Amino acid sequence: MQPEEKIPTVVSSGYDSEKTQGGRNNASIGQPKFIRSDMADVPVQQAAGSTLPLVITRKKGGGDSDDGNYNPFEHRKVEHPTSDLETFVHLLKGSLGSGILAMPMAFSHAGLWFGLVATFAVGTLCTYCVHVLVKCAHILCRRRKIPMMGFADVAEQAFLDGPPALNRWSRFIRFMVNTFLVLDLLGCCCIYLVFVATNVEQVVSVYLETVLSVRVWIMIVTVPLIFMCLVRNLKFLTPFSMIANILMFVGIVITFIYMFTDLPAPSERPGLVAVSEWPLFFGTVIFALEGIGVVMSLENDMRNPTHFIGCPSVLNFGMGLVIALYTLVGFFGFLKYGPDTEASITLNLPVEDKLAQSVKLMIAIAIFFTFTLQFYVPVSILWKGLEHKIRPERQNISEYGLRVALVVLCGGIAVALPNLGPFISLIGAVCLSTLGMIVPATIELAVYHEDPGYGRFNWRLWKNSGLILFGVVGFVAGTYVSIIEFHAEFSGGH
């Protein structure tokens, strides 16, 4: 009999004491542990990353069957577990953001009828990839006797469980997931700055004789954000989140009233546009719909995690409603404004109308407050990676310096690239096609490598290869077209 092969396994150090006391996983007692101290993530309650260290535990291989007696959901320690309804609401809040205001612009790059079909298709694809990620997380939790995992944990453990060629890349895939999460969230912060400045500039220009450019307004908006982002405790930001939710809801409802007034006939809008414009559509839709960064933290906090995926499930109901709302706004927004559709539907509202001006300011304030919450996650991920390298007496000033530098960096990028349309498409193409499609498909290939396998005719291999190819094409095409758009703007040809 050959000795069992030991490979690294991601588990929570919070459960190690119970294991050594004869608790949850007695099989791991006495086996060597290598706890990594340099994991650069944030808790699952804050983001998709986690602070779970790395230890060496049991043998490689095997699916759910050899760990059938272990139920990871029974071993989770969640201080305030969420119900299915609460998780549903959190999923809506995590997926319904400023992206919904960009959906009419997305339809302008696809056509009225093709955009209708393609939005449902892309939304279904994004939802399916979330199913894949969460299902693989459940398999790995049972296989490795781990109560919960974050996004980066799932990716790393999948590579450790996968083919030997992937094992050496386990640290890299964790780094890549966290890097793209940071880029995605900081990119969203840049988009928020452009969005707020553009709407404020449009309103204020009606009353000021001297018109300030969007770039100047971005710099003006950045200044107060520097001070707001110095707040390190989320509970102090909660009131701002509540205000943002109320203002966003009221603003979108009033926007709908304008949007559904005096609609033209669908025949007046193109049903299909040139293929060269499709990458901007796909990038924008993926940016708007993709909530892959929050799903693992939501699932980890649930009272009944098995209700998150499946049919019916919290994820299906939540994403179904999100897809329907985004399609509704995109379809009727483009139908209303046609070729004049702006990057944010609020910019199409009448400039001189007082109610429309209030809508623009309400949504701008809502996005302004949302910036601080969105900023919290990337700065936490980055600080976790830097904290142990700095002397204790300099950590406070260093963290404040990091926060100020990141806000200034976001402001600088927004000033350099103040065009919402290609900016949104670029973030969607670069970050979310990677996190939302390529990484989940790669994770499933690694998890199913040995047991239970790729199925008859290797259908899982072909399916995931197609998802990876679609993600790569979206990444390359979306990035290229977005850069061309930026180049046209700087050269004066836009």
Side-chain angles (χ1 to χ4, degrees):
M1 181 181 295
Q2 293 182 350
E4 293 181 345
E5 179 187 0
K6 306 283 198 314
I7 67 164
T9 303
V10 181
V11 304
S12 171
S13 59
Y15 295 86
D16 290 345
S17 60
E18 294 188 30
K19 294 175 184 176
T20 57
Q21 295 168 9
R24 294 184 167 91
N25 183 9
N26 293 327
S28 67
I29 297 177
Q31 295 191 6
K33 293 183 175 65
F34 175 71
I35 299 180
R36 231 171 53 202
S37 61
D38 58 341
M39 306 280 282
D41 297 288
V42 295
V44 292
Q45 289 80 3
Q46 298 173 15
S50 107
T51 51
L52 309 182
L54 190 70
V55 305
I56 297 176
T57 63
R58 39 181 224 87
K59 66 179 181 179
K60 177 179 178 178
D64 299 340
S65 58
D66 55 338
D67 291 308
N69 295 326
Y70 180 80
N71 185 348
F73 313 131
E74 296 176 353
H75 302 290
R76 292 186 174 180
K77 289 183 176 180
V78 181
E79 186 176 354
H80 300 291
T82 56
S83 65
D84 291 359
L85 180 60
E86 289 171 328
T87 305
F88 175 80
V89 173
H90 289 320
L91 180 62
L92 291 182
K93 289 176 64 178
S95 301
L96 283 173
S98 60
I100 192 172
L101 303 172
M103 284 304 299
M105 180 200 66
F107 271 63
S108 70
H109 294 298
L112 194 65
W113 299 112
F114 177 70
L116 182 68
V117 175
T119 300
F120 274 108
V122 174
T124 302
L125 193 61
C126 291
T127 305
Y128 175 74
C129 288
V130 174
H131 271 275
V132 168
L133 176 65
V134 176
K135 185 176 181 181
C136 288
H138 289 176
I139 292 174
L140 291 172
C141 284
R142 288 189 175 94
R143 184 182 292 174
R144 296 300 165 197
K145 291 183 167 57
I146 304 168
M148 64 175 67
M149 289 185 178
F151 193 172
D153 301 320
V154 175
E156 182 177 23
Q157 187 60 62
F159 272 47
L160 290 171
D161 272 26
L166 292 181
N167 296 165
R168 68 178 65 183
W169 298 100
S170 60
R171 294 291 297 273
F172 173 77
I173 191 66
R174 168 180 282 277
F175 171 79
M176 191 185 81
V177 167
N178 284 326
T179 298
F180 276 100
L181 280 172
V182 170
L183 290 177
D184 170 35
L185 295 170
L186 289 180
C188 288
C189 289
C190 297
I191 291 171
Y192 288 173
L193 282 172
V194 177
F195 180 92
V196 173
T198 305
N199 280 271
V200 171
E201 184 269 339
Q202 197 178 68
V203 173
V204 175
S205 62
V206 177
Y207 301 98
L208 291 182
E209 294 182 1
T210 304
V211 178
L212 300 177
S213 69
V214 172
R215 286 184 167 93
V216 174
W217 278 109
I218 291 174
M219 291 186 284
I220 294 173
V221 171
T222 302
V223 174
L225 283 174
I226 292 176
F227 296 98
M228 290 187 66
C229 289
L230 294 179
V231 178
R232 295 188 292 184
N233 195 326
L234 267 181
K235 71 177 183 180
F236 296 121
L237 300 176
T238 302
F240 297 107
S241 176
M242 295 176 61
I243 295 172
N245 291 335
I246 295 172
L247 292 176
M248 178 66 79
F249 176 77
V250 174
I252 289 179
V253 168
I254 299 175
T255 301
F256 278 15
I257 295 174
Y258 280 99
M259 195 170 63
F260 286 107
T261 303
D262 298 326
L263 284 173
S267 58
E268 297 182 25
R269 304 291 179 239
L272 181 69
V273 302
V275 177
S276 59
E277 294 191 50
W278 290 5
L280 286 173
F281 165 79
F282 284 110
T284 304
V285 172
I286 291 174
F287 169 84
L289 287 174
E290 192 57 78
I292 194 86
V294 301
V295 293
M296 289 310 301
S297 60
L298 294 179
E299 187 270 344
N300 286 335
D301 282 342
M302 286 187 70
R303 182 179 295 115
N304 299 302
T306 54
H307 294 177
F308 190 74
I309 59 174
C311 188
S313 66
V314 173
L315 179 64
N316 286 347
F317 279 119
M319 290 304 297
L321 180 58
V322 168
I323 294 169
L325 286 174
Y326 275 54
T327 305
L328 181 73
V329 174
F331 183 88
F332 286 101
F334 179 57
L335 178 61
K336 170 71 174 178
Y337 297 108
D340 297 324
T341 302
E342 296 283 355
S344 170
I345 191 67
T346 57
L347 300 177
N348 282 109
L349 302 183
V351 177
E352 304 288 342
D353 192 305
K354 302 292 184 183
L355 182 60
Q357 292 174 4
S358 68
V359 170
K360 297 175 186 182
L361 292 179
M362 279 191 291
I363 296 182
I365 293 171
I367 298 298
F368 178 86
F369 287 149
T370 305
F371 181 101
T372 58
L373 300 171
Q374 191 86 343
F375 180 82
Y376 186 87
V377 176
V379 77
S380 298
I381 294 175
L382 292 173
W383 179 244
K384 287 290 182 181
L386 297 173
E387 186 177 11
H388 66 280
K389 300 178 181 179
I390 301 172
R391 295 197 305 271
E393 63 272 15
R394 296 187 60 85
Q395 286 186 356
N396 276 338
I397 189 65
S398 299
E399 183 178 359
Y400 286 130
L402 174 65
R403 289 172 175 270
V404 171
L406 287 178
V407 177
V408 172
L409 175 64
C410 290
I413 294 174
V415 167
L417 306 172
N419 190 334
L420 266 177
F423 205 158
I424 290 174
S425 178
L426 180 65
I427 296 299
V430 172
C431 298
L432 296 174
S433 63
T434 303
L435 293 175
M437 294 182 186
I438 299 174
V439 172
T442 306
I443 287 174
E444 187 178 43
L445 288 176
V447 170
Y448 283 78
H449 169 64
E450 289 186 353
D451 186 8
Y454 294 148
R456 191 176 184 182
F457 304 119
N458 287 327
W459 69 269
R460 285 192 182 93
L461 176 63
W462 292 108
K463 179 257 297 183
N464 287 308
S465 297
L467 285 175
I468 293 172
L469 179 62
F470 184 83
V472 170
V473 170
F475 181 105
V476 175
T479 302
Y480 174 77
V481 174
S482 298
I483 292 175
I484 293 298
E485 288 279 309
F486 281 126
H487 176 73
E489 179 184 355
F490 287 127
S491 62
H494 191 278

